[in-house]
Amino acid sequence: MNIPSLTISQIKADLAAKKYSASELAQSALDFAATENPKTNAYLHFSAERALAAARAVDDKLARGEDPGLLGGVPIAVKDVIVTKGVRTTCASKLLENYIPPYDATAVVRLEQQGAIILGKANCDEFAMGSSNENSAFGPVRNPVALDRVPGGSSGGSAAVVAQGTAVVSLGSDTGGSIRQPASFCGIVGVTPTYGRVSRYGLVAFASSLDHIGPFSRNVQDSATVLQAMAGHDECDATSAPAPVPDYSAALTGQVKGLRIGLPKEYFQGLESESGALIEQAIEQLKKLGCEIVDLSLPTTEHAIACYYIICTAEASSNLARYDGVRYTSRSPNSNTLPDMYRNTRGEGFGRECKRRIMLGTYVLSHGFYDAYYVKAQKVRALIAQDFARAFADVDAIVAPVSPFPAFKLGEKMADPLQMYLSDIYTITGDLAGIPCLSVPCGNTQEGLPVGLQILTKHFDESTMFRLAHAYEQSRIG
Amino acid sequence: MTLTATPDQLAKYEVVIGLEVHVQLATRTKIFCGCPTSFGAPPNTNVCPVCLGLPGALPVMSKPAVEMAMLGALALNCRINPTSRMARKNYFYPDLPKGYQISQFELPLAEHGYVDVVTANGPKRIGVTRVHMEDDAGKSTHDGFKDSDRFTYVDLNRSGTPLIEIVSEPDMRNADEAYEYMVYVKQAMEFLAVSSCDMEKGHLRCDANVSVRKWGAAEFGTRTETKNLNSFRFLKQAIEFEVSRQVAVVESGGRIVQETRLFNPDLGETFSMRSKEAAHDYRYFPEPDLVPLRISDAWRERLQSTMPELPAQKRARYATEFGLKPYDAEVLTATREIGTYYEKAVAASGDPKTTANWVMGDLLGALKNDGKEITESPVTAEHLGDLVKRIASGELSGKLAKEIFPKMYAEGLAPGVIIERDGLKQISDTGAIDKIIDEVLAANPKQVEQYKGGKTTVIGFLVGQIMKATKGQANPGVVNDLLKAKLG
C-alpha cells in the first residue's frame, strides 16, 4: 500500500476487497510515520497501542460483516490541543509536557466511533498561538513541500502530516486562520466549519468564542467525510449548535453553474503578485464552471486584526490561567511562596508568544480599559459579521486568498510579531464572523510553493462551500 | 489597640449597612456538570473534568440550578431579567481550578427586589439590588496534616457547587435591621427548599458592607467589607464592632480606609485583610463558553405558580385566620416544617390557639431538650391535634392532657391508645361524680361548716379532695357546678 496516496474512499474499497486489513494498514502507517517524521517533526508522539486496538476493532467489524463506519480503518492525526484519554496532550507547551488527560474530546470520540485510527498527536504552536508552528516548545515543524520553510500555523503539524503522507487526514483547530493558512502553505485542503458545528468539548481553549475544530485532507471529499463524522450538537458544549447536519457528500455534485460568487475587494490588497495571479486563475476557472462573479465590499475588514487580537488575547489570558502549577501543570520547583510558585511555573513554562498574549489580554480586560478595548472590539466583531450577512444576502459564496504570501522561511518572521500576525489577515474575519470557510489548493508558485484559495459561505452552509471547492478541485484535476 | 466609641460619639452618626449574602443552592448536582453536591465524600471524589477545570472541559448550565435561583429571586420580590449572562471573574487561588469563577456581572439573573422586615423600630423595607448565580470554589486546608508547614491541601468536591449571591441596597441602619434581613433571607430560602441554609456547613454566608456618616450628611462614608460571617451572632457582633471602630476613628480625627476585613469570633473584633489598593482587578468579561440565559415569561410564570407560601405571608395568615399573636405566629413559621406541623395539627384539632400553645410549649420544649428537629418528632401532628381536640371537647382536662403528652412523646402512641390503656378518661358522668362529692362532703364536715359560714374559699380545698379521689379524672367544670349546687 502506498500510504501517501491513500484517500478515505480508497481505504474503504481496499478493506472491502481485503487487499489489506485495518491492522496491517495501521501498522504500516505507524512504521511509515516513524520513519518519515524526523524530516518534519510533524508528530509530537504516537499512540500505537490505541491505534492498533482501534484497527483490530475495525477488522472485527469487517469480519462480522458490519459497517466499520465513515472512517473505518482511516489513519488520522490529531492536533495536540485536542485531548485524548490516556494519550499525552501537551498543547506543544512545556507546562503540559507530561499531561495525560483522563477523557476524550467529543470530536475524537465521534471519529473513533466511525472507525478512525488515531496514529498520534500533531505538533502545533504552543496553545495554538502562532502562524508558523515555530512557537512549539518541542521544536518547529518543517513544511514537507519545502523543508526550509514553515508549514504555517498554528495547526502546522496537522497540515504537514497530511501533505507528507504520514496520515490520511487529520484534525486541526482554527482560531484565527490556524487551519486554512497551514493548508494553503502545505498544498492541501483545510476546513474551518461554522462556529458551533463541531463540539469544542476537549479542545484545549485558546480563545473560546473563536476556537473551531476542523479537518485537513488531500481532497475535498475526505474533509467533507471527516466533518460529517464529527459534526452535530453535543450536550457537553453549550455553544454547539442543535442544527441538523446535512449529507455533505451528497453536496459534491460537481454542479456550480449559476452560483453567485462574491469577490471582496479588501481581500486583494497587500497580496503578493504570484499568489494574486494564482487566485485570478482560480476565479477564471470558476467562471468557466458557470459561476457568476460579483465584486463586493466588506468595509470593516481593515479593523479585523485589531479586533481579533483584542478578543483572542482577552479570552486567552483567562483560559490560560489554569496552568498555574497547582494540579496537572508541571510545577516549577524551589518556590517558597504561593505567588512565587505561580510566577516561576508560568514564567518558566510559557513560551514568548503565550506570554505576549496573556499580557495583552490581561491589559485589555483591566479595570478602566475594558470598555475602550474589549467592549469596542465586540462591537467591531458584530459589524464584521453584519458585513458578511449583508454580502450573503446577495451571493452564495465568497472567494478570497487565504494568505498574502506562500510559506515563508523558518525564522523569517519570528523577530516581528506584527508581520507574523498579518499572515492571518484574510482568514481571521471568517473566525470572527463564525462562518464556514476552507482552503483548497489553487496551484504553486514558480518556486513550487502551494497557494490556497479560500471559500466562505453563510452560517451552517458547509454544503455550498464543499460543493464549490469540490467542483473547482475536480476541474483542476480533470 | 482598637478604638471604641462612646455612646455620645455613636449618637452623632448614622450607620449605613449593605449585605451580600451567599446561598448554596440545594441542587443534587453541580451547576456546570453532573457531579453530586453531597457533603462529606472523601476528598476529590465528587469531581469530573469540568469541575476539576481540566484543559478542554466546558461548563453546561444546570436547569435545576437556574430554577432554584429564580425561586430565590422571586421570594425577594426581584424582577427576573429575560436575558442574563454568566461572566468570568478572574483571580488566582489554589482551590479555584479554572483560574476564574463563573459568576454574573453586567446582566445578573434578577434585580430590583425588596424585603420587608420588622424590628423594634417598626416595619422597614430593604432593597435587594440583584441576585446572581455563580459556582463555588474548592476548599483549601492549611493545617492539620503532618506536612502542613510546607503544603496546603485542596479538595475540589465543593468546586462547582451552585451559589446565588444576594446583594442588598445600603438600606440598613443598624445591626438589628441587618439581622432581621438575614433572618428573612434564610427563612425564605429554607421555605422554598432552595437551600438547606446550614450555616455551619457554609451554605449561608454573609459579607457586611458598613460605613458611618454624621447625621444629615449627603454622602456615604467610606465603607469596609467584612467577609464570611457565618452566623447571625457574628453578623451582629461584626457590625456593632465595625460601627464603634469607625466612629472612634473618625472622632479621633482619622480616616476610614476602604478595605476588606475579617471577623475574629474569639475576640468579637474585625481586622484588616487587604486594602483597596491591594484589591483584585477581577477582569470580568462575558463567559464565552456559555450562551446567554434566556428566561421566557412562560417559564418565569410557571415557577411563580409553584411558589409556596413564604414565612411573612404565613405569619399574616396565622394572625387573621387563626387569631394568633405576632410572637406565636413567628415561632410557628420559624421553619417550613414547623408551619407544616402546626397546620396539620390544627386540621386535626379544630382549635388553632390551644394547638399553638401545645406546639410551642410542650412539643418544641421536649424536642429542644432532645436536640431533635420537628421532622423527627415522636408525636405526629395528627396525634397532637387529637389530644387538643379531646381537651376542647371537654373529654380531657388540661391536667390530664399534660399527663398524657409525655407518654405520647415517649412511646409515639396516639392519645386514645394511652387513655384507654391507662384508664385516664375524664369522668363527666354526673352520677359518678355526685357519689364522690357526697363522700368527700361527709368526710370533711368542718370545711362544709366553714363554707356555709361564709368562708367560700374552702371550696378550692373541697374540689382538690374530689379530684384527688378521682385521680384527677373528674371533669373540673362538672365538679364545680355540682359541688356549688350541693352546698347551696
Side-chain angles (χ1 to χ4, degrees), chain A residues 158-223:
Chain A
S158 300
V161 292
V162 172
Q164 196 179 4
T166 52
V168 174
V169 294
S170 67
L171 289 188
S173 72
D174 192 321
T175 304
S178 280
I179 287 176
R180 288 156 290 156
Q181 186 249 26
S184 79
F185 279 19
C186 293
I188 58 169
V189 175
V191 177
T192 310
T194 309
Y195 184 81
R197 186 58 109 179
V198 176
S199 169
R200 291 185 296 115
Y201 189 71
L203 168 62
V204 178
F206 155 19
S208 313
S209 74
L210 293 157
D211 293 341
H212 307 67
I213 290 178
F216 287 96
S217 60
R218 293 192 281 268
N219 63 38
V220 173
Q221 165 81 63
D222 282 1
S223 273

Side-chain angles (χ1 to χ4, degrees), chain B residues 377-409:
Chain B
S377 170
V379 179
T380 66
E382 289 76 10
H383 287 174
L384 188 72
D386 186 1
L387 183 72
V388 173
K389 191 179 180 183
R390 287 167 195 265
I391 301 166
S393 71
E395 185 190 327
L396 289 179
S397 65
K399 188 157 180 291
L400 257 184
K402 294 269 180 199
E403 222 174 288
I404 293 167
F405 178 81
K407 297 186 181 186
M408 291 167 65
Y409 188 88

Side-chain angles (χ1 to χ4, degrees), chain A residues 53-334:
Chain A
R56 274 195 300 277
V58 169
D59 284 332
D60 289 349
K61 276 195 175 174
L62 288 167
R64 290 195 300 265
E66 291 169 20
D67 179 4
L70 286 170
L71 301 171
V74 176
I76 70 165
V78 174
K79 186 179 182 180
D80 211 22
V81 293
I82 298 171
V83 302
T84 40
K85 186 176 180 177
V87 175
R88 221 146 41 97
T89 301
T90 67
C91 300
S93 177
K94 264 169 69 180
L95 283 167
L96 293 176
E97 192 166 4
N98 300 307
Y99 175 62
I100 298 176
Y103 77 108
D104 277 322
T106 299
V108 165
V109 170
R110 291 187 180 178
L111 294 193
E112 284 195 325
Q113 278 169 353
Q114 294 295 331
I117 312 299
I118 299 172
L119 300 181
K121 305 298 291 288
N123 202 345
C124 55
D125 284 301
E126 186 179 7
F127 288 106
M129 296 179 184
S131 310
S132 68
N133 214 128
E134 291 167 287
N135 296 327
S136 168
F138 309 112
V141 175
R142 291 174 180 274
N143 191 324
V145 180
L147 291 171
D148 60 340
R149 292 183 183 259
V150 302
S154 65
S155 310
S158 300
V161 292
V162 172
Q164 196 179 4
T166 52
V168 174
V169 294
S170 67
L171 289 188
S173 72
D174 192 321
T175 304
S178 280
I179 287 176
R180 288 156 290 156
Q181 186 249 26
S184 79
F185 279 19
C186 293
I188 58 169
V189 175
V191 177
T192 310
T194 309
Y195 184 81
R197 186 58 109 179
V198 176
S199 169
R200 291 185 296 115
Y201 189 71
L203 168 62
V204 178
F206 155 19
S208 313
S209 74
L210 293 157
D211 293 341
H212 307 67
I213 290 178
F216 287 96
S217 60
R218 293 192 281 268
N219 63 38
V220 173
Q221 165 81 63
D222 282 1
S223 273
T225 305
V226 175
L227 183 60
Q228 192 83 54
M230 64 182 173
H233 184 247
D234 174 19
E235 60 179 25
C236 292
D237 176 2
T239 64
S240 85
V245 181
D247 180 350
Y248 296 131
S249 291
L252 310 182
T253 58
Q255 295 302 314
V256 290
K257 197 161 188 260
L259 275 189
R260 279 171 70 82
I261 310 288
L263 297 183
K265 63 178 187 195
E266 292 80 5
Y267 286 63
F268 294 85
Q269 294 157 5
L271 183 59
E272 278 189 7
S273 59
E274 234 187 324
S275 299
L278 289 166
I279 300 292
E280 288 301 331
Q281 274 180 29
I283 292 164
E284 286 308 311
Q285 186 69 22
L286 292 177
K287 279 188 196 163
K288 281 189 205 156
L289 290 170
C291 294
E292 191 186 337
I293 307 294
V294 186
D295 286 322
L296 56 80
S297 173
L298 298 168
T300 52
T301 304
E302 60 169 318
H303 304 297
I305 290 248
C307 168
Y308 173 79
Y309 276 96
I310 288 168
I311 293 170
C312 85
T313 58
E315 294 182 10
S317 70
S318 174
N319 283 327
L320 269 52
R322 66 187 64 188
Y323 309 109
D324 56 6
V326 174
R327 295 162 308 274
Y328 39 81
T329 321
S330 329
R331 181 185 301 175
S332 170
N334 309 321

